Structure formats: structure tokens, C-alpha cells
């Protein structure tokens, strides 16, 4: 009888844990799409329909030179690969120096403010802003925007938009390994709102990302705590002192 009572109670508790886990996971999934929803609202607004469009090669260029990461001058610089860019969030994580990553082959030198675009598997949507001078591999395009025409942060968000992502995915399917080459990249017809509006939109998106990341971190902490509950409940159920008869 006691076994049945304990088993029934555990079933109830486990069901409650699963409901809590599903609810928090749903909140986390919803939070992660907030920046994309805002970006979509911006680029599909009535005002956006009046923006001029220009090919990307008129708005930015690739000027990075190749350097040897074994040189002490460059080995201490941050090294960015696709693994260091959070998909869809214009954010860098876990960046180490080229020396710490053990880089020995030639890398491309980018400057602060360059837009880093990962050309492999465009469906992963990996774009970031260089926070300092650093190195990247040939799998990345370090883009230097024309500051008279484009805001770098707006450019980064534009490269994460559904419009550009759809174009990049379609173009990259022509090769065996999904990859966007320079000609394909620079042939894209990009929206060009007034520079002041670009800065305003980029600031809104950056603010949304900061709030989203804070919310996601909180939800991920709650989710981790919930994941531990089943083990805790089982331990409590089977370590209770058996009363003396």
C-alpha cells in the first residue's frame, strides 16, 4: 500500500515537473524569436517599401589582408570563427586569441566595426560586429561598410533578415557545400533607408537583443533547475526514514 501511495505521488509530481518544463521551454522559444519579429516588422513596414535598394558591392567591400597568426603581433588578437557567432542574434561568444586557438595557417585581419559574415551554411544566419581588431578564417567575410551610406550595425541586422537569408540560401544551394561566394554576396540588392533611420533601427534591435538575452538567461536557469527536480523527488521518496512500528 505504501509503495502504491509513493508511486502515485511520484507520478503526480513528475507530471507537474513536465508541465513546468514545457511551459518554461515555450517561453524560452518565444523569447528567442522576438528579435526576428522586430526585424521583420521593420523591413516589411510601409516605410520600408519606399526605401531605395542598391547592390551590396556599392555599400561595402572586403579589404582584409591575410596575415600569419604565428606572428606575435597577430597571435594575441581575437580569433573569430563561425562557432563564435550565435545564430540569428548578432552576438559573439567564447572568443579566444589566435594563439590560444592554436592557429597556424593564414588568417584575415579585420578591424573594429567590420561586419563579420559566415559564408558557410547561410541557413545558420551567423553575423556579428567586430568588437575589436582581430583575425578570422577564409570561411568568414569581413565587410567594411561605406559609413556615408550604411550603418555597420544596421548592415549586420540586414544580413540576418529573412529577405537576405532567403536569397543566400537559394544562391548557396548551387554548390555541393552550401556556401555564398563573393559574387553572390555582392550581387544582393540591399535596402538602404536614410542613415539616421538605420542607426535608429539598429539601436532598437540592439536593445531588443539585450533584453532577450537577459530573459533567455533567466529562463535557461529556471529550466536547468526544473531538469534537476525528478532526481530530487526520487531521492526524497526513497531516502525517507522508515518509522519504527
Amino acid at each position: 500500500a505504501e509503495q502504491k501511495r509513493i508511486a502515485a505521488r511520484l507520478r503526480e509530481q513528475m507530471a507537474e515537473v513536465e508541465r513546468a518544463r514545457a511551459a518554461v521551454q515555450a517561453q524560452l522559444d518565444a523569447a528567442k524569436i522576438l528579435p526576428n519579429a522586430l526585424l521583420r516588422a521593420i523591413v516589411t513596414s510601409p516605410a520600408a517599401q519606399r526605401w531605395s535598394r542598391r547592390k551590396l558591392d556599392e555599400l561595402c567591400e572586403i579589404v582584409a589582408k591575410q596575415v600569419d597568426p604565428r606572428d606575435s603581433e597577430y597571435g594575441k588578437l581575437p580569433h573569430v570563427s563561425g562557432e563564435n557567432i550565435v545564430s540569428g542574434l548578432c552576438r559573439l561568444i567564447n572568443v579566444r586569441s589566435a594563439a590560444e586557438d592554436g592557429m597556424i595557417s593564414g588568417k584575415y585581419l579585420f578591424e573594429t566595426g567590420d561586419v563579420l559574415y559566415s559564408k558557410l551554411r547561410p541557413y545558420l544566419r551567423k553575423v556579428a560586429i567586430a568588437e575589436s581588431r582581430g583575425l578570422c578564417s577564409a570561411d568568414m567575410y569581413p565587410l567594411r561598410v561605406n559609413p556615408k551610406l550604411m550603418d555597420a550595425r544596421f548592415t549586420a541586422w540586414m544580413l540576418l533578415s529573412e529577405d537576405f537569408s532567403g536569397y543566400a540560401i537559394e544562391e548557396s544551394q548551387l554548390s555541393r557545400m552550401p556556401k555564398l561566394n563573393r559574387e553572390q554576396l555582392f550581387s544582393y540588392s540591399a535596402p538602404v533607408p536614410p542613415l539616421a533611420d538605420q542607426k535608429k533601427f539598429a539601436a532598437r534591435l540592439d536593445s531588443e537583443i539585450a533584453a532577450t538575452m537577459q530573459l533567455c538567461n533567466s529562463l535557461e536557469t529556471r529550466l536547468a533547475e526544473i531538469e534537476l527536480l525528478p532526481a530530487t523527488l526520487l531521492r526524497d521518496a526513497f531516502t525517507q526514514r522508515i518509522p519504527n512500528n
Side-chain angles (χ1 to χ4, degrees):
E2 183 67 6
Q3 292 177 31
K4 291 179 179 179
R5 186 192 68 79
I6 293 172
R9 178 57 180 157
L10 280 171
R11 282 196 298 272
E12 292 175 2
Q13 291 175 324
M14 295 301 181
E16 291 173 4
V17 168
E18 179 54 29
R19 285 193 291 270
R21 188 204 64 77
V24 174
Q25 184 64 59
Q27 289 178 310
L28 182 59
D29 292 341
K32 288 181 177 179
I33 66 173
L34 288 175
N36 283 336
L38 177 57
L39 181 58
R40 187 184 307 112
I42 289 172
V43 300
T44 59
S45 66
Q49 308 312 310
R50 298 190 293 272
W51 294 344
S52 63
R53 298 185 77 99
R54 301 175 68 166
K55 284 191 175 182
L56 208 57
D57 64 357
E58 301 175 41
L59 306 172
C60 58
E61 58 183 339
I62 298 174
V63 296
K65 65 177 182 179
Q66 193 173 68
V67 298
D68 188 344
R70 294 171 295 183
D71 187 312
S72 60
E73 177 185 356
Y74 303 116
K76 62 184 179 183
L77 294 178
H79 171 246
V80 176
S81 70
E83 295 180 355
N84 300 120
I85 302 178
V86 180
S87 177
L89 292 182
C90 198
R91 182 168 174 261
L92 290 168
I93 57 170
N94 304 325
V95 177
R96 305 192 304 173
S97 70
E100 289 173 326
D101 280 345
M103 296 294 100
I104 58 175
S105 60
K107 301 299 173 189
Y108 290 92
L109 179 67
F110 58 76
E111 301 294 338
T112 303
D114 284 352
V115 179
L116 306 178
Y117 176 75
S118 178
K119 65 183 180 182
L120 292 180
R121 302 181 180 88
Y123 55 83
L124 293 178
R125 301 171 63 244
K126 293 196 171 189
V127 185
I129 294 288
E131 299 171 353
S132 65
R133 198 181 201 208
L135 305 181
C136 67
S137 70
D139 294 335
M140 308 281 298
Y141 288 134
L143 303 174
R144 185 78 48 80
V145 304
N146 182 339
K148 295 181 179 180
L149 298 174
M150 295 294 286
D151 176 73
R153 299 205 71 84
F154 177 81
T155 302
W157 284 112
M158 180 267 295
L159 294 174
L160 287 173
S161 69
E162 292 178 350
D163 184 69
F164 177 79
S165 295
Y167 166 83
I169 291 169
E170 183 176 357
E171 290 292 320
S172 65
Q173 289 175 344
L174 302 176
S175 58
R176 180 177 300 177
M177 165 66 77
K179 179 173 63 175
L180 198 67
N181 63 40
R182 291 194 184 200
E183 181 180 357
Q184 292 166 328
L185 173 69
F186 286 130
S187 294
Y188 174 69
S189 182
V192 187
L195 194 56
D197 289 343
Q198 293 182 37
K199 295 180 183 295
K200 179 179 67 176
F201 295 144
R204 285 179 60 193
L205 286 161
D206 288 344
S207 176
E208 184 73 23
I209 279 295
T212 296
M213 294 310 301
Q214 185 176 4
L215 177 59
C216 286
N217 289 338
S218 175
L219 290 171
E220 286 171 351
T221 298
R222 289 173 59 188
L223 198 58
E225 293 170 348
I226 290 171
E227 298 287 359
L228 295 175
L229 282 176
T232 301
L233 293 171
L234 286 170
R235 184 179 65 249
D236 291 347
F238 289 100
T239 57
Q240 297 181 46
R241 291 186 59 186
I242 299 176
N244 294 325
N245 292 327

